[in-house]
Amino acid sequence: MPYVNSEGVRIHYLVDGDGPPLILHHGFTSSSDAWRRFGYIPALCRDNRCILVDARGHGASAKPHDPAAYDLPKRVADVVAVLDALQIPKANFLGFSMGGWIGFGMAKYAPERINALLLIGAHPYADQSWDVFRRVDGRDPEAFLSALESILEQRIEPELKPLVLANDLRALAAAAQERPALDDVLPSMTMPCLLLVGEKDSRYPAVETCARHLARATLAALPGLTHIESFVRSDLVLPHITRFLASVSY
């Protein structure tokens, strides 16, 4: 399996398909395997060189237990390290939830490496809901799940709980930090942006506001979908993604 060393942290990634490079960045508690599990890879790898990254603390990447290891610039550096290893100067970026937040981080700290941003269920505004993890260290699985459901504002389906609990929960608790505001970057974001969000996602108003402050934003509302459903329902999400990618020059 390919790995890259990012400032002393080993980051795992996979490459599949051929075409313009497309980074796929999963959400919190997930891994790059989620893109396959929920049907994104067959559709996206037909026309794109898909680069699936396991975030630090997730999947097959290293799992530090120190919260300082999860500062946003370090997470951005992980993506840049993968691009450097593949000798890719610039790529399109697709991220869900935490992955979308890291996408805004790319726009702030490494904008020259991004051709277009496609972000699902993510916004750049301060999010203090993550404060709930200050009282969670990952040693108690039930406390971890409760904190996660508090952030998601919905119950985690029984079939998804084993996927969450299979992680190193101490690493994930360290990664679950308060998210400071990144909206100062919006005026400088001139790349094409697709913002997808479920209409039943509590993040919907913030995503809608964000779209109004971007120079080249397309907002795609997903009727009836919650935060998690806006990822797992790839049958409803993929048409927006493939249409947008087809319109973006590289």
Side-chain angles (χ1 to χ4, degrees):
M1 294 189 293
Y3 291 89
V4 66
N5 186 303
S6 176
E7 301 177 4
V9 176
R10 196 164 75 152
I11 300 300
H12 171 250
Y13 67 94
L14 294 169
V15 181
D16 195 350
D18 190 32
L22 173 65
I23 300 162
L24 280 72
H25 207 302
H26 60 82
F28 182 61
T29 77
S30 187
S31 73
S32 57
D33 183 63
W35 299 101
R36 299 184 185 278
R37 181 182 298 272
F38 295 109
Y40 286 86
I41 295 306
L44 293 178
C45 291
R46 283 197 298 265
D47 301 305
N48 302 276
R49 185 184 183 192
C50 293
I51 304 158
L52 292 75
V53 179
D54 277 339
R56 56 175 60 201
H58 298 72
S61 290
K63 299 172 176 61
H65 289 179
D66 181 1
Y70 295 93
D71 290 343
L72 182 57
K74 294 180 180 179
R75 301 188 197 215
V76 170
D78 296 343
V79 178
V80 172
V82 171
L83 291 176
D84 287 347
L86 295 172
Q87 298 183 316
I88 296 173
K90 182 178 286 192
N92 297 321
F93 184 104
L94 169 61
F96 166 64
S97 195
M98 179 190 76
W101 177 64
I102 293 171
F104 282 111
M106 292 291 295
K108 183 176 178 69
Y109 297 110
E112 72 282 359
R113 309 304 294 267
I114 296 298
N115 183 63
L117 279 172
L118 300 85
L119 310 177
I120 308 171
H123 63 75
Y125 304 108
D127 185 354
Q128 295 181 337
S129 66
W130 290 84
D131 286 356
V132 67
F133 271 99
R134 290 184 178 181
R135 301 182 297 276
V136 175
D137 63 8
R139 289 183 172 88
D140 182 345
E142 290 304 318
F144 184 94
L145 288 172
S146 178
L148 182 58
E149 289 178 338
S150 173
I151 290 170
L152 296 173
E153 298 183 351
Q154 66 182 96
R155 300 285 294 176
I156 299 172
E157 296 298 324
E159 63 269 22
L160 296 179
K161 284 186 178 182
L163 301 179
V164 175
L165 296 177
N167 288 284
D168 181 335
L169 297 187
R170 291 185 64 191
L172 293 186
Q177 302 175 13
E178 178 183 343
R179 296 182 180 178
L182 298 172
D183 52 311
D184 61 329
V185 76
L186 297 181
S188 65
M189 289 175 61
T190 58
M191 71 285 287
C193 297
L194 173 64
L195 305 182
L196 301 109
V197 62
E199 289 186 346
K200 289 188 175 181
D201 188 340
S202 63
R203 296 154 188 79
Y204 182 90
V207 175
E208 187 178 42
T209 298
C210 174
R212 294 200 299 268
H213 289 87
L214 289 172
R216 302 173 66 187
T218 300
L219 177 66
L222 304 169
L225 298 191
T226 63
H227 185 66
I228 294 176
E229 288 170 341
S230 67
F231 179 76
V232 301
R233 290 297 307 273
S234 62
D235 57 321
L236 301 178
V237 179
L238 273 168
H240 295 282
I241 292 173
T242 55
R243 185 165 56 247
F244 181 81
L245 286 172
S247 73
V248 172
S249 58
Y250 180 82

